[in-house]
Amino acid sequence: MIDIIIGVLCTIGALAILIAAVGILRMPDFYLRLSVTVKAATLGGGLLLLSAAFYFPDEVSVTTKALAIIFFLVLTAPVAAHLIARTAYLINTGQWENTTVDDLAGMYDKETHKLHSDRKPPALSGKTEPESRPDDGPVL
Amino acid sequence: MTLDSYIDYVILPILAVSLLLVFIRLFKGPDIVDRVIALDLLITIGISVITVYSISTGKSTLIDVAMILALIAFLGTIAFSYYIEKRGRK
């Protein structure tokens, strides 16, 4: 019975990792590659570690370590993905030609790398202004 | 079919094929950030391979190596992104 559970978990995890690998090879753009890779690889690694936690039931330390690695992966993978995506946007990594919406266009200050949420910085006012929205309080 | 032979003949080859596909992206990658995420994915798949191998051989001490690799993957990606961003800004 426990073997069946471990086999199913291993199979789903390995297939998720295979999907991540195919995605990083086939996607046309860095941002699409990133969005495929991080989620699928975290899911796959987590399921394989969960099967290891099931496989060593009489050693509590191994189960604890496997769960700690799962927790660490889930905690750190989004942070690392966000940082590398921010870096890629700041160094002007090219986007896919069919990408139509870029909500960050003109929102980053090129000098200080600060993100402005609602209003464009005055240094970048040459581009088209976004449509004026009703004011809902001061802009932070 | 026992669990050990299933892992040895099905799960580990799937992971090996995944490693090969990611290596292709690591060599091709047109930009440096592509290579960074390919390296991150390689280390994540490495954690999975170590885990599956420890199930297959029954040696539970290999899990410790997986924990260290998870730490190194996070720190490597953070350091790469920090210095690549710093390189673009004069």
Side-chain angles (χ1 to χ4, degrees), chain A residues 25-46:
Chain A
L25 189 61
R26 293 287 298 161
M27 278 290 176
D29 185 5
F30 167 74
Y31 305 100
L32 293 172
R33 272 174 217 144
L34 188 67
S35 76
V36 167
T37 297
V38 174
K39 283 167 286 204
T42 308
L43 174 69

Side-chain angles (χ1 to χ4, degrees), chain A residues 118-139:
Chain A
D118 200 12
R119 208 166 35 188
K120 295 203 172 200
L124 294 173
S125 62
K127 294 183 178 178
T128 60
E129 291 284 336
E131 298 173 4
S132 62
R133 300 169 192 162
D135 283 338
D136 45 359
V139 178

Side-chain angles (χ1 to χ4, degrees), chain B:
Chain B
M1 194 176 205
T2 63
L3 182 65
D4 285 349
S5 62
Y6 177 68
I7 284 177
D8 281 344
Y9 291 115
V10 178
I11 302 291
L12 277 177
I14 289 177
L15 293 177
V17 169
S18 310
L19 280 175
L20 203 63
L21 295 176
V22 180
F23 256 110
I24 294 174
R25 175 53 69 193
L26 184 67
F27 285 126
K28 257 173 61 175
D31 223 331
I32 187 171
V33 281
D34 291 312
R35 294 195 167 98
V36 173
I37 60 164
L39 202 64
D40 190 49
L41 186 57
L42 272 184
I43 300 179
T44 309
I45 299 176
I47 293 169
S48 309
V49 170
I50 288 171
T51 309
V52 169
Y53 190 71
S54 81
I55 293 177
S56 166
T57 58
K59 293 191 175 107
S60 61
T61 43
L62 296 176
I63 302 276
D64 295 342
V65 186
M67 185 180 282
I68 302 299
L69 268 185
L71 273 167
I72 289 175
F74 176 61
L75 286 181
T77 308
I78 295 297
F80 270 126
S81 61
Y82 180 71
Y83 285 112
I84 290 169
E85 183 197 344
K86 214 174 174 184
R87 186 184 65 175
R89 175 169 33 175
K90 293 301 179 195

Side-chain angles (χ1 to χ4, degrees), chain A residues 2 5 16 20 29 32 36 41 43 45 51 55-56 60 67 71 77 81-83 91 93-94 100 126 136 140:
Chain A
I2 198 76
I5 293 176
D29 185 5
L32 293 172
V36 167
L43 174 69
S51 65
Y55 186 73
F56 301 103
V60 183
L67 292 180
F71 179 70
H82 169 75
L83 272 176
I91 65 170
T93 304
T100 55
D136 45 359
L140 296 178

Side-chain angles (χ1 to χ4, degrees), chain A residues 12-118:
Chain A
I12 299 174
L15 286 181
I17 286 179
L18 184 66
I19 287 171
V22 172
I24 200 177
L25 189 61
R26 293 287 298 161
M27 278 290 176
D29 185 5
F30 167 74
Y31 305 100
L32 293 172
R33 272 174 217 144
L34 188 67
S35 76
V36 167
T37 297
V38 174
K39 283 167 286 204
T42 308
L43 174 69
L47 285 179
L48 288 175
L49 282 161
L50 199 62
S51 65
F54 274 117
Y55 186 73
F56 301 103
D58 47 350
E59 297 173 75
V60 183
S61 66
V62 178
T63 307
T64 311
K65 267 182 273 188
L67 292 180
I69 299 172
I70 293 172
F71 179 70
F72 190 74
L73 274 183
V74 171
L75 198 67
T76 59
V79 179
H82 169 75
L83 272 176
I84 196 68
R86 178 176 180 274
T87 302
Y89 194 81
L90 285 175
I91 65 170
N92 291 322
T93 304
Q95 293 183 3
W96 189 31
E97 54 192 5
N98 290 341
T99 302
T100 55
V101 178
D102 184 4
D103 282 336
L104 286 178
M107 292 294 183
Y108 267 112
D109 194 341
K110 295 287 183 190
E111 298 296 324
T112 61
H113 286 187
K114 270 190 177 176
L115 179 63
H116 297 260
S117 61
D118 200 12

